[in-house]
Amino acid sequence: TKIDVRKLINSSILNSFQELISAINSTKNEVAFELLSMLRKIANGGPIPSIVDADTSVGRTLEAALGIDINSSKQPDYKGIELKSFRNSKTNRKNLFAQVPDWKLSKFKSSAEILSSFGYRRQEDFKLYCTVSAITRNSQGLKLRIDSDVKQLIENSDKPKVGDFVVWTLDKLHNRLKTKHKETFWVEAESTRMNDQKCFQYKLVEHTKKPITSQFDLLIEQGIITLDHLIKRNSKGKVVEKGPLFKIEPKGIELLFPPSEIYNLMS
């Protein structure tokens, strides 16, 4: 309390306080530099054959190349840094995180109830694969809205007997966002084909930190952050839920996070 910290930081003469701040910053950035070096080595090795034929192949292929175990953990992927890989399309939404509703606060108590009310038949599966926005209702009659008074995100159906049917508390969503994306590498890849096999050339990284949680609510209201249901009941009667996934349009990244760093992996 007796030290003028601002004066010490801005001093043109090197002092022990500046050295301490520099050491802290260097330690914090050490993991990011390590991961960046690994990504550059992978990128400069050329296109990598996809390890699976699925929508998630771009991310799973990169994680395998980095030696990261593929799992459904809610924790960041690499020593506290979340990895999000995507194909270099300006229209593809990016995954933020998955989060089920607060069933205790919701009218519906399970994904199976949601599926039963809004699902449809596709070949052998009964499923609900759809995007839900706060701007317009989708073909299933579903729409999102934020109730700021009670700090909740609510999903609503236009069916009079259903109405509001699931709820997320904004505090829970904000905490998920802060935990998952405390520090994130958004890795852009170009999809190519070699010897009739899909391959990925990883080219660019956007490095973000500390999301602005108040922006999350605003971006939902603007339809820039949306929700995807990925529920199905297979031929054996088992209900599988891969979401709900909260996704963001590419233009929303710069609005959700403070100014980021861009790294070219091919240099």
Side-chain angles (χ1 to χ4, degrees):
T1 58
K2 296 180 180 180
I3 297 175
D4 188 338
V5 174
R6 189 185 298 253
K7 185 176 180 181
L8 284 174
I9 291 175
N10 295 327
S11 173
S12 58
I13 301 173
L14 183 64
N15 56 69
S16 57
F17 194 80
Q18 287 176 335
E19 290 176 345
L20 174 62
I21 296 297
S22 177
I24 292 171
N25 286 335
S26 177
T27 301
K28 286 178 65 177
N29 289 329
E30 189 174 313
V31 173
F33 292 148
E34 176 185 311
L35 180 56
L36 183 61
S37 176
M38 293 169 68
L39 289 171
R40 282 189 166 137
K41 184 177 181 179
I42 290 170
N44 287 306
I48 302 176
S50 175
I51 64 170
V52 291
D53 184 15
D55 292 340
T56 58
S57 58
V58 62
R60 293 176 65 179
T61 300
L62 181 59
E63 288 178 0
L66 289 168
I68 297 173
D69 291 334
I70 298 171
N71 57 52
S72 56
S73 170
K74 292 185 177 182
Q75 298 303 312
D77 297 306
Y78 186 84
K79 298 182 181 180
I81 298 179
E82 178 70 6
L83 270 171
K84 289 293 183 183
S85 304
F86 60 95
R87 296 168 179 81
N88 58 347
S89 166
K90 294 182 179 180
T91 59
N92 281 350
R93 292 172 302 145
K94 298 177 174 65
N95 290 346
L96 285 174
F97 56 83
Q99 181 61 50
V100 297
D102 188 323
W103 300 119
K104 291 182 180 179
L105 298 176
S106 303
K107 177 185 290 186
F108 287 2
K109 302 302 180 183
S110 68
S111 297
E113 279 192 75
I114 299 174
L115 179 62
S116 295
S117 296
F118 310 113
Y120 48 84
R121 178 68 58 184
R122 284 292 183 274
Q123 299 176 344
E124 294 183 358
D125 294 325
F126 186 69
K127 63 185 356 179
L128 178 65
Y129 278 33
C130 69
T131 298
V132 189
S133 167
I135 299 297
T136 57
R137 290 193 182 277
N138 64 15
S139 57
Q140 284 78 27
L142 307 181
K143 188 177 180 181
L144 299 174
R145 82 168 189 278
I146 285 181
D147 188 329
S148 299
D149 292 335
V150 292
K151 296 183 179 180
Q152 292 179 347
L153 173 65
I154 299 165
E155 188 170 4
N156 172 271
S157 166
D158 62 359
K159 294 181 179 180
K161 292 184 179 181
V162 177
D164 297 342
F165 62 95
V166 287
V167 168
W168 294 261
T169 64
L170 291 177
D171 285 344
K172 177 68 173 181
L173 294 176
H174 293 168
N175 286 335
R176 283 286 291 118
L177 178 65
K178 287 189 292 185
T179 301
K180 193 71 169 175
H181 292 287
K182 181 180 179 181
E183 187 171 4
T184 304
F185 272 25
W186 304 85
V187 186
E188 179 180 308
E190 180 179 310
S191 181
T192 61
R193 296 198 75 85
M194 295 177 63
N195 300 322
D196 203 32
Q197 185 175 10
K198 182 188 291 183
C199 299
F200 297 111
Q201 174 66 66
Y202 298 95
K203 304 183 78 170
L204 204 70
V205 169
E206 184 171 6
H207 184 191
T208 61
K209 298 179 182 179
K210 297 180 180 179
I212 307 165
T213 54
S214 60
Q215 285 290 90
F216 179 83
D217 304 354
L218 181 62
L219 293 175
I220 285 180
E221 292 178 324
Q222 294 175 341
I224 295 173
I225 292 177
T226 50
L227 178 148
D228 278 16
H229 283 299
L230 300 167
I231 318 171
K232 71 176 181 180
R233 182 185 293 116
N234 60 27
S235 57
K236 297 181 180 179
K238 183 179 179 181
V239 173
V240 179
E241 164 71 277
K242 296 181 180 178
L245 283 178
F246 287 85
K247 295 190 173 188
I248 187 169
E249 293 182 7
K251 64 181 179 181
I253 295 294
E254 63 184 30
L255 302 173
L256 186 59
F257 296 91
S260 59
E261 297 286 343
I262 305 292
Y263 307 117
N264 185 348
L265 296 179
M266 306 298 290
S267 62

